[in-house]
Amino acid sequence: DSRDDASFPGELGEPVPIADVAVFTDPLDATKEFVNGRVWAVMTLIGITYRQKPVAGVMYQPFVDGGRLVYGIAGRGVQNLPDSHPDGQEIIQNRESGSYVMATTRMHNSPKVDALIAQTNPRKVLRAGGAAYKCLLILIGQADYYISVSATKKWDTCAPTALLVASGGVVTDLDGNPLGFTHNRGVDNQNGFLCARNQEIHNSILQKILQKKQT
């Protein structure tokens, strides 16, 4: 259950071995969005892991409202979430169970993405750039889940994972396994990922993905 992952490790109230802590940073997430002028999707990311598990994150939008900072700690929630959306899209609340909004890539449309849209059958699809930005859409209630089919760098997903888990969300790869955040080998998570607003949504979408894999 994701709630186990959402608890703040009690030992972090005391000094911990530096070898158990790693910091993943991305100075400019969503470079293509920056080049194309969709600057609301551009973020600076700082994610902190303890024993390979994301426990704190910062997502900073430098070009929105003179700079907007969202941050959170496992077990303590997420702070400073926006009330409005910078590109004017409606924030959707109180959706019916099973009627979900999916966020997915703008820049890398592919048969794999199209197949996952068909499999999971969302009520609406939001296409946007930037991995962290699509996670923000979940945090502010505009999207319910986000599927990425490509390999991602750990610095792209560490901070968003920490914030989503802190808010009660769930993040796994497309087989339902936790993303790996080892800092001493490899920089990619190869098996895509699924982010969902809560456990119920994650279970529903993952089941549809796995059913298709088994056929």
Side-chain angles (χ1 to χ4, degrees), residues 103-206:
T104 192
T105 179
R106 180 198 301 277
M107 303 299 294
H108 309 291
N109 293 346
S110 72
K112 286 185 178 181
V113 172
D114 293 338
L116 283 167
I117 293 172
Q119 285 170 233
T120 59
N121 192 28
R123 180 169 64 83
K124 182 178 181 180
V125 177
L126 298 178
R127 293 192 177 273
Y133 179 68
K134 290 187 279 290
C135 293
L136 180 65
L137 295 181
I138 296 174
L139 286 167
I140 65 176
Q142 187 175 335
D144 296 300
Y145 67 100
Y146 160 35
I147 299 176
S148 172
V149 298
S150 33
T152 54
K153 306 299 183 188
K154 294 174 183 178
W155 51 77
D156 290 330
T157 52
C158 184
T161 296
L163 296 187
L164 283 164
V165 171
S167 70
V170 185
V171 183
T172 67
D173 69 14
L174 297 184
D175 288 323
N177 302 310
L179 297 186
F181 288 98
T182 54
H183 63 278
N184 54 359
R185 62 177 186 274
V187 296
D188 290 336
N189 282 306
Q190 296 288 344
N191 191 25
F193 63 89
L194 166 63
C195 307
R197 187 160 51 88
N198 57 40
Q199 189 77 58
E200 177 187 354
I201 296 170
H202 183 272
N203 290 348
S204 172
I205 300 303
L206 182 63

Side-chain angles (χ1 to χ4, degrees), residues 53-74:
K53 182 184 295 184
V55 294
V58 174
M59 295 163 56
Y60 178 66
Q61 294 175 283
F63 304 109
V64 174
D65 297 336
R68 184 161 65 193
L69 184 74
V70 177
Y71 58 95
I73 299 175

Side-chain angles (χ1 to χ4, degrees), residues 16-95:
V16 297
I18 192 66
D20 288 343
V21 178
V23 179
F24 294 86
T25 63
D26 187 350
L28 191 70
D29 186 52
T31 348
K32 289 182 181 177
E33 300 303 289
F34 176 75
V35 170
N36 289 312
R38 292 185 283 267
V39 295
W40 57 82
V42 176
M43 294 198 192
T44 298
L45 306 174
I46 303 173
I48 301 173
T49 65
Y50 174 66
R51 295 181 177 171
Q52 303 174 20
K53 182 184 295 184
V55 294
V58 174
M59 295 163 56
Y60 178 66
Q61 294 175 283
F63 304 109
V64 174
D65 297 336
R68 184 161 65 193
L69 184 74
V70 177
Y71 58 95
I73 299 175
R76 309 292 174 87
V78 179
Q79 307 299 318
N80 211 32
L81 286 172
D83 295 323
S84 60
H85 196 263
D87 64 0
Q89 297 185 36
E90 177 189 5
I91 294 178
I92 306 163
Q93 303 288 356
N94 303 319
R95 285 180 285 278

